[in-house]
Amino acid sequence: MGPTPASPALAERDLIKLADLARAMARALERRGVEPGAARLVVDVATAITRRATSRWLTDPDAVFPELVRQAAAELNAAVAPLASAERRGG
């Protein structure tokens, strides 16, 4: 979730680990009653928010990680809310 490793082999290993983790999280959500497609969406969004927060955290030693996660989630909400609002209005 941080910077890309210098080695292609390490980068591939990181991607495999991330995919394994995403599958495990989606299965856990499904066991809790979340529909499979919705579970995958939640995992994908959570992963994207965490990646954005992590990249900022790595570049700012004074940053507070939970606050960076909140900021990333707020950015997503700000980007999506106007679309949802327009859709409700029929636009």
Side-chain angles (χ1 to χ4, degrees):
M1 282 189 215
T4 304
S7 160
L10 289 177
E12 181 179 359
R13 194 173 99 199
D14 279 355
L15 288 174
I16 291 169
K17 282 190 211 176
L18 185 58
D20 289 344
L21 181 60
R23 277 191 296 275
M25 289 188 299
R27 283 193 304 268
L29 287 169
E30 290 171 30
R31 283 193 302 273
R32 288 165 176 80
V34 178
E35 184 269 324
R40 185 60 207 204
L41 176 63
V42 168
V43 170
D44 289 346
V45 169
T47 299
I49 288 170
T50 303
R51 287 178 65 118
R52 186 156 177 96
T54 300
S55 67
R56 290 176 174 172
W57 182 66
L58 291 171
T59 60
D60 182 357
D62 297 323
V64 178
F65 189 73
E67 180 55 34
L68 294 173
V69 170
R70 280 190 288 277
Q71 287 174 8
E75 288 173 26
L76 174 63
N77 186 54
V80 173
L83 299 174
S85 179
E87 200 170 273
R88 281 192 300 273
R89 289 190 312 263

